[in-house]
Amino acid sequence: SGILIDSLERELQARGISHGDFAGYAGTWAYQSKNGTIYGRDFEESWSEPNVIQGIQLWYNSFQTGAYALLTRDNQVKIKTYGKGWADAPDFITEEMERARKAEQWTDVVQILGVRGTLFGLHEDGSISCTAEENRDALASISGVRKIAGYVGERAQLAVSDILALMEDGTVRPLISDEYSVQFGRTQVTGWKDVADIAVGESHVAGLLSDGTVVAAGSNHAGQCDVEDWENIVFLTVGRNCTLGITADGELKMAGSLY
């Protein structure tokens, strides 16, 4: 069933309706095989990278340059750049690249998250690293984290995004948020308990509880938070305006809209 769930999540990501761990922008694509090799294609060439646990596209821009962050099996981060426009790219693009490469110095990384050009890394000891200097102080005192989550969909660079942490004690803690997050209620997760997994959409967040039920907070303009009667859920993901879950007997549930 794990293979089925992994395949479904990749299919959802490919269709642009998942929070996603790996995706491509216009003119590029990448996918990960079962053996951990990532195969990619940019504007002019193909590439591959073996022994990858997780891949994230950090950015793509109108200068036809981009970068992937790859988490390898030795718990290191590798930055893979592509594109033909580096020579003509403005200074801020070069600065973004230099900032991203700081992640290659991280060790014992178990998860990476890329939001709006910034890379976050979760370490084996439950601490978090970040490539953006403005967020480092806020994250320096955080420990006991099991998973980090944020909205990393196709429009992530345009959307204001929360970064949430699923803690080892089963609670959820907002790490980074702003006025938009507070306005739509996506930070109203501090009362959640016994949480097994979390997923963050463009305007809402959902949590899978250890008993198989689901909770949600944030905007409900498309009904994406109407999950009160869900039971026996074993897998949870979200899109921009929807929440998707799979039950123990294989039933697919959806709240909200795919559009």
Side-chain angles (χ1 to χ4, degrees):
S1 60
I3 294 175
L4 173 62
I5 290 174
D6 289 344
S7 299
L8 176 60
E9 183 169 37
R10 285 196 294 270
E11 177 67 15
L12 295 175
Q13 291 168 3
R15 294 176 180 272
I17 58 175
S18 169
H19 63 290
D21 284 330
F22 198 62
Y25 289 138
T28 70
W29 56 261
Y31 68 91
Q32 185 171 2
S33 66
K34 293 180 181 178
N35 67 7
T37 299
I38 286 183
Y39 299 91
R41 172 75 183 176
D42 62 27
F43 300 96
E44 296 182 328
E45 63 180 4
S46 300
W47 58 273
S48 64
E49 190 71 35
N51 300 317
V52 175
I53 299 174
Q54 183 189 2
I56 290 173
Q57 186 159 30
L58 285 177
W59 74 80
Y60 162 75
N61 52 60
S62 59
F63 300 99
Q64 295 189 350
T65 62
Y68 291 98
L70 307 177
L71 176 59
T72 60
R73 286 179 177 168
D74 59 359
N75 301 109
Q76 303 284 324
V77 177
K78 181 175 182 178
I79 303 299
K80 164 67 179 177
T81 61
Y82 67 89
K84 57 186 179 181
W86 289 102
D88 300 321
D91 290 344
F92 78 89
I93 297 295
T94 304
E95 291 170 359
E96 280 190 346
M97 187 69 258
E98 292 176 352
R99 185 174 69 173
R101 288 206 179 278
K102 294 178 181 179
E104 294 183 322
Q105 302 174 16
W106 298 346
T107 58
D108 300 324
V109 183
V110 295
Q111 182 200 348
I112 54 176
L113 173 68
V115 177
R116 302 170 71 190
T118 297
L119 186 62
F120 299 82
L122 175 62
H123 299 272
E124 289 180 349
D125 63 0
S127 62
I128 302 172
S129 293
C130 177
T131 56
E133 293 183 4
E134 60 269 24
N135 295 323
R136 287 178 191 166
D137 290 343
L139 299 175
S141 61
I142 303 297
S143 62
V145 178
R146 188 194 311 171
K147 177 182 178 178
I148 49 177
Y151 178 62
V152 293
E154 184 178 354
R155 295 175 56 192
Q157 293 196 29
L158 302 178
V160 178
S161 300
D162 295 312
I163 304 296
L164 301 179
L166 173 58
M167 309 302 290
E168 292 178 352
D169 63 2
T171 60
V172 178
R173 177 175 177 177
L175 298 180
I176 299 173
S177 57
D178 53 25
E179 265 181 29
Y180 180 93
S181 307
V182 175
Q183 176 184 355
F184 284 95
R186 288 201 305 181
T187 58
Q188 297 178 4
V189 297
T190 52
W192 293 1
K193 297 179 180 180
D194 299 322
V195 182
D197 197 8
I198 54 174
V200 179
E202 188 176 69
S203 60
H204 77 297
V205 56
L208 173 61
L209 304 189
S210 58
D211 64 359
T213 60
V214 177
V215 291
S219 174
N220 196 33
H221 65 278
Q224 62 265 50
C225 293
D226 295 337
V227 295
E228 298 88 351
D229 60 344
W230 288 14
E231 297 179 341
N232 300 318
I233 304 297
V234 296
F235 174 77
L236 180 73
T237 189
V238 301
R240 287 176 57 192
N241 301 314
C242 67
T243 303
L244 298 165
I246 299 177
T247 66
D249 58 3
E251 179 186 358
L252 175 64
K253 288 184 172 292
M254 186 186 80
S257 171
L258 296 179
Y259 305 100

